[in-house]
């Protein structure tokens, strides 16, 4: 996250009872001892790259499953008709606040074409939270600001501060929807982040000494080639 000001802002949001996941992340971090190491939240992700009929790439559709402990924490204070079971409608306010909070961080999703040209996203659409096997799963679609054709697309999913550890689903984590037949996907998964992170205490991340872009070391890298 982007320094003390961002953290204080999210803490204030939590005090106002806005139950966004990012606001809760900050509160959760504040309850840990200074010796605790990153990461604090684990997300298992799967994504779809969406293509138009003319072969242009129009957006990215994410499904992010949060770890059980954080899911339980995030659901505190939310009412449901059936105890312990939450519908999409009951989770809708939380989903909206979460999406709004994630915007500041670029939704931890970074896209480049032909090696260096950054591609910008519009605000997410079709977003919702669901409870699946006791865990929260955030679904949302990120349209590209301008659909484009590219011989090569590089997509990275990670948290620069490494507060959140993103891992890809083991089976079919990246799907191409409507892509030309000659397109191929290469996935580079990060090495285990825990050993490196445990060498650094929480204070290293809070004061910016290590957390500026530490998470890039553990980015999930997806390359799509369409020759």
């Amino acid at each position: 996250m982007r320094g003390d000001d961002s953290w204080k802002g999210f803490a204030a949001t939590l005090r106002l009872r806005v139950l966004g996941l990012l606001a809760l992340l900050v509160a959760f971090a504040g309850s840990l001892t200074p010796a605790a190491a990153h990461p604090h939240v684990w997300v298992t992700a799967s994504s779809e790259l969406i293509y138009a009929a003319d072969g242009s790439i129009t957006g990215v559709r994410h499904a992010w499953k949060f770890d059980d402990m954080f899911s339980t924490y995030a659901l505190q204070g939310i009412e449901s008709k059936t105890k312990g079971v939450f519908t999409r409608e009951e989770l809708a306010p939380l989903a909206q606040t979460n999406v709004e909070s994630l915007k500041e961080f670029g939704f931890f999703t970074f896209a480049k074409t032909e090696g260096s040209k950054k591609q910008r996203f519009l605000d997410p659409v079709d977003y919702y939270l669901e409870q699946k096997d006791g865990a929260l799963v955030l679904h949302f679609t990120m349209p590209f600001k301008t659909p484009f054709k590219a011989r090569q697309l590089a997509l990275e999913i990670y948290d620069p501060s490494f507060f959140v550890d993103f891992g890809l689903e083991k089976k079919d984590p990246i799907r191409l929807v409507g892509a030309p037949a000659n397109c191929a996907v290469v996935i580079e998964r990060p090495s285990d982040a825990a050993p490196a992170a445990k060498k650094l205490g929480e204070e290293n991340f809070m004061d910016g000494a290590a957390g500026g872009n530490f998470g890039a070391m553990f980015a999930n890298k997806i390359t799509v080639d369409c020759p």
Side-chain angles (χ1 to χ4, degrees):
M1 295 188 179
R2 300 179 180 177
D4 293 340
D5 290 340
S6 294
W7 284 71
K8 290 177 182 178
F10 277 111
T13 301
L14 179 64
R15 287 195 292 270
L16 292 172
R17 305 293 294 171
V18 180
L19 295 177
L21 293 180
L22 261 293
L24 286 169
L25 288 179
V26 176
F28 188 45
S31 69
L32 299 172
T33 64
H38 278 45
H40 299 308
V41 178
W42 287 260
V43 171
T44 303
S46 61
S47 304
E48 296 178 336
L49 290 171
I50 307 168
Y51 288 73
D54 65 354
S56 61
I57 307 172
T58 62
V60 179
R61 184 182 296 122
H62 285 312
W64 291 355
K65 181 180 179 181
F66 291 87
D67 65 85
D68 292 345
M69 183 174 69
F70 178 71
S71 295
T72 299
Y73 189 87
L75 289 169
Q76 291 181 4
I78 299 180
E79 296 183 356
S80 62
K81 292 182 179 179
T82 303
K83 185 177 181 180
V85 179
F86 299 86
T87 66
R88 292 185 189 182
E89 290 73 21
E90 290 165 341
L91 294 172
L94 179 60
Q96 179 179 350
T97 305
N98 181 45
V99 167
E100 291 173 351
S101 299
L102 283 165
K103 182 177 181 179
E104 180 180 354
F105 308 100
F107 298 89
F108 304 127
T109 304
F110 310 93
K112 292 182 179 180
T113 52
E114 318 305 348
S116 61
K117 185 177 180 180
K118 292 183 180 180
Q119 296 295 331
R120 305 296 182 183
F121 292 98
L122 297 174
D123 289 343
V125 297
D126 301 330
Y127 57 83
Y128 64 92
L129 275 168
E130 69 170 336
Q131 186 187 34
K132 187 176 182 180
D133 299 327
L136 284 176
V137 182
L138 176 64
H139 299 264
F140 61 102
T141 299
M142 298 176 61
F144 281 107
K145 186 175 182 180
T146 303
F148 57 88
K149 294 182 180 180
R151 291 177 60 87
Q152 184 177 85
L153 168 67
L155 187 72
E156 294 188 346
I157 304 170
Y158 70 98
D159 174 7
S161 74
F162 200 50
F163 189 88
V164 182
D165 182 9
F166 285 90
L168 297 179
E169 289 280 3
K170 293 182 179 180
K171 184 178 180 181
D172 299 328
I174 305 297
R175 295 179 60 244
L176 304 184
V177 179
N182 62 340
C183 292
V185 179
V186 175
I187 299 173
E188 182 181 346
R189 298 174 185 266
S191 58
D192 183 17
K198 287 180 179 178
K199 295 179 182 178
L200 298 173
E202 185 73 21
E203 66 278 1
N204 295 104
F205 291 89
M206 292 298 290
D207 64 14
N213 198 33
F214 185 81
M217 296 172 59
F218 310 104
N220 297 279
K221 299 179 180 180
I222 298 97
T223 303
V224 182
D225 288 302
C226 296

